[in-house]
Amino acid sequence: MYFKHPEDARKAICTTNAVEAVHRQFRKLTKIKGGFANENSLLKLFYAGILNASEKPWTTSEAH
């Protein structure tokens, strides 16, 4: 079903999946912590989460 879409639509789907993966990571991080002293502490947590996520290999299952 995925390959029946035009290439532009497939790229948008893959991009959306990546964005959702980052959001899922952020929700996990904030759920564990609960509250934050200030905005800067939240930004530091998000930064650490992005560093952690960037260490994981990103692959696509799209075949040409």
Side-chain angles (χ1 to χ4, degrees), residues 11-63:
K11 286 181 182 179
I13 291 168
C14 288
T15 301
T16 301
N17 289 343
V19 169
E20 286 300 320
V22 171
H23 287 175
R24 187 171 36 255
Q25 178 76 16
F26 284 169
R27 283 192 303 271
K28 277 189 204 177
L29 291 171
T30 57
K31 184 178 180 180
I32 294 168
K33 178 71 171 152
F36 299 93
N38 55 39
E39 184 177 331
N40 202 24
S41 62
L42 177 63
L43 291 175
K44 286 179 184 179
L45 182 68
F46 283 167
Y47 178 73
I50 289 291
L51 290 178
N52 185 34
S54 67
E55 291 175 0
K56 296 177 184 177
W58 291 90
T59 60
T60 62
S61 59
E62 184 176 339

